[in-house]
Each structure stands twice: as C-alpha cells, then as structure tokens.
Amino acid sequence: MDGNRRYARSRHQLVQEGHSAGFLALRRILELCLKLNVKCVSTYAFSIENFKRPPEEVDALMNLAEEKLLEICRHGDLLDSYGVQLNVVGKTELLPENVQLAVKKAEGMTRHNNRALLNICMPYTAQDEIATAVRDCVHDALSSRHSSQPSQPPLNIDSNSDSGLDLDSETEIAAELRNLPIITEEDITSHLMLTRAGSPPLDVLVRTSGVKRLSDFMLWQSCEGAQIYFSSSYWPEFGFWDFIPIILDYQRQVWSKRAALAVS
C-alpha cells in the first residue's frame, strides 16, 4: 500500500489524510478480491522501519490503525459479511498498548470466519520474518534433538594443545556435526509468520506508486513462482481498472502453463 504520502502531497493535503484515503482503497480492493473469490489477501500496512518517521505521523497512523481495525471487523461490516478472518502479522509487541488491544479484539471478532484470510502486516519486515523463522527452526530442531537423546558428557578440551583440542575432541566434534538436525527450506517456510497465519503460497504481488522494488515485503514468498506487478498509481488511487488487468494477466499465464504441461 505505497504512495499514501505522495498522494496527499500531490493534493496539498495532510499526510494523515493520505493514510485515511489508503484505508478506503484497502476496503475497495479487498471487496473486489472477495467478489473474485480470492481466498487470501496480505497487505503491507506498516514497516518496522516506519517507526523512524516523525512522531506525529507515527501517532496518527497508530490512531488510524486502532480505529479502522475495529471498524472493519464490526458485525455486518466487510469482514463479517464475507466471512474473512483477520490476522495482524509482525512484531506486534512493538505497537502501542492500545493498538495491541485493538489487534487482539479485532482478531477475536473474526476468529470464527473461515471463507477467506486478510493478513495486515504491521509492524513487519521480510528480513525480520525470515530471521525469526530461522531462529525458531533452530530452536525446535535442537529441542527435538535434546529430548530424543541422552545428555552427553562435555568435550575433552586439552588446554596444553596448540589447537586447543586433542584428537579425541576433534573426532567428537566431527561426529557431533554429522548428527546435527538438518533444516530445510520447507522447515523455514513452515515457520514464517504468514505461513503460520494460514497463508497459502504467494501467487501475485502488486507494488503501487511507480516504485520498482519490494521494500522488504514477502521476500521469501516472492522469490520463486510468484508473479510481480508494478503499478504507477498511488495506493489511494489504485482501483478496478488497475487491478483487473493484473488478474487477467495472471490467469492468462496460469492457463498458458497448464496448456504447456498438457502438451508435454
């Protein structure tokens, strides 16, 4: 959801007004996705790095998040009407306490919904998501290994040896390394925040505002198989005529791949 601030400045508005317009765009595109039977939508609402912005802008964003999280989840509103479960993904402990409470309440209000998923990533970066997944993989692998094997005596380190280790210790270390658990790409994928939130593999990633970079969003998920599109529209302006060509192009490419596989 990029371009809120530039949209506001181009119209001589306050930055906060741009962010409010960005939320309306989210509602508009989300409803379009749901009508097209898209089952999972993930949106980059706030980067961890955004905390470095001016305090008045951060405070305005946090107030907007608290208000809109509860608004969109209310009975009869968009998520309730379409049966969408809300997940707020990221280092939510960095959010102000009032926003954390709003997150828990909003997630609880939609927990029974099972027709589609909306992931709001805030505060989030893909680097943090990947680092957290790797850390959790290592923790789980070592915990599993220690629980399945008896405790081992400490290695015999010879302080008089030039290398600091005697031959027996080097052999033990080599054996220890061979017995270490193997962590695969699938293990890391399964520990990603978005995967744990129930997200399927990424099909389409859209970046608005004319900027052609991913800006630390879903880097792991987009590295293979996903189709990436860049739109010149600012996010508050992004609408039906921007989105439908992307969906049609995605469908065309999927059908082409299926046809190629059928021929082969």
Side-chain angles (χ1 to χ4, degrees):
M1 299 196 301
D2 189 46
N4 293 345
R5 296 192 296 174
R6 278 169 286 167
Y7 170 83
R9 288 166 183 156
S10 70
R11 293 173 172 247
H12 307 289
Q13 296 175 342
L14 296 175
V15 170
Q16 292 89 327
E17 294 178 84
H19 291 308
S20 295
F23 173 76
L24 295 177
L26 172 60
R27 290 184 64 103
R28 183 171 64 246
I29 297 302
L30 176 59
E31 186 163 18
L32 181 56
C33 287
L34 296 170
K35 288 180 177 179
L36 291 171
N37 204 31
V38 175
K39 297 298 185 182
C40 181
V41 175
S42 299
T43 181
Y44 199 2
F46 192 84
S47 167
I48 293 173
E49 297 299 312
N50 289 158
F51 282 115
K52 298 176 182 178
R53 290 182 178 180
E56 60 274 13
E57 182 181 351
V58 174
D59 290 343
L61 277 167
M62 293 297 106
N63 291 333
L64 182 67
E66 180 185 15
E67 174 190 350
K68 299 304 182 182
L69 278 171
L70 298 177
E71 175 185 315
I72 200 172
C73 296
R74 278 201 296 258
H75 178 70
D77 211 305
L78 189 61
L79 301 193
D80 182 64
S81 299
Y82 284 93
V84 181
Q85 182 181 121
L86 172 71
N87 298 306
V88 178
V89 178
K91 298 190 76 170
T92 54
E93 65 272 16
L94 299 178
L95 297 170
E97 186 175 353
N98 61 313
V99 181
Q100 291 186 44
L101 292 173
V103 166
K104 291 178 182 177
K105 185 174 181 180
E107 289 181 331
M109 291 166 69
T110 65
R111 190 55 60 207
H112 62 284
N113 296 342
N114 57 14
R115 289 165 55 192
L117 287 175
L118 170 61
N119 299 315
I120 297 181
C121 298
M122 62 173 289
Y124 168 97
T125 63
Q127 291 181 78
D128 177 70
E129 181 183 33
I130 295 168
T132 300
V134 171
R135 182 197 65 201
D136 291 346
C137 281
V138 172
H139 178 271
D140 290 352
L142 292 178
S143 296
S144 174
R145 179 173 178 270
H146 291 156
S147 63
S148 62
Q149 293 184 0
S151 59
Q152 300 292 329
L155 295 176
N156 178 26
I157 299 177
D158 183 1
S159 59
N160 295 321
S161 171
D162 292 338
S163 65
L165 295 173
D166 59 22
L167 183 58
D168 290 340
S169 296
E170 291 178 358
T171 304
E172 289 177 32
I173 289 175
E176 189 83 5
L177 291 174
R178 285 194 297 272
N179 291 328
L180 285 175
I182 296 175
I183 295 174
T184 65
E185 292 179 14
E186 289 75 19
D187 292 327
I188 296 174
T189 298
S190 69
H191 282 78
L192 293 171
M193 296 173 185
L194 284 162
T195 305
R196 288 181 162 180
S199 300
L202 179 64
D203 292 317
V204 175
L205 190 148
V206 181
R207 171 69 190 261
T208 58
S209 81
V211 177
K212 295 184 178 180
R213 62 176 184 269
L214 299 184
S215 295
D216 217 351
F217 184 53
M218 297 186 78
L219 300 182
W220 183 276
Q221 295 89 340
S222 63
C223 67
E224 184 177 0
Q227 295 184 31
I228 301 174
Y229 298 87
F230 298 99
S231 170
S232 59
S233 298
Y234 294 138
W235 172 247
E237 299 171 326
F238 190 80
F240 179 89
W241 295 111
D242 300 285
F243 188 60
I244 291 301
I246 292 173
I247 295 299
L248 291 176
D249 184 66
Y250 167 74
Q251 289 181 326
R252 179 186 61 80
Q253 295 196 44
V254 169
W255 292 335
S256 297
K257 290 177 182 178
R258 289 177 180 173
L261 288 173
V263 171
S264 61

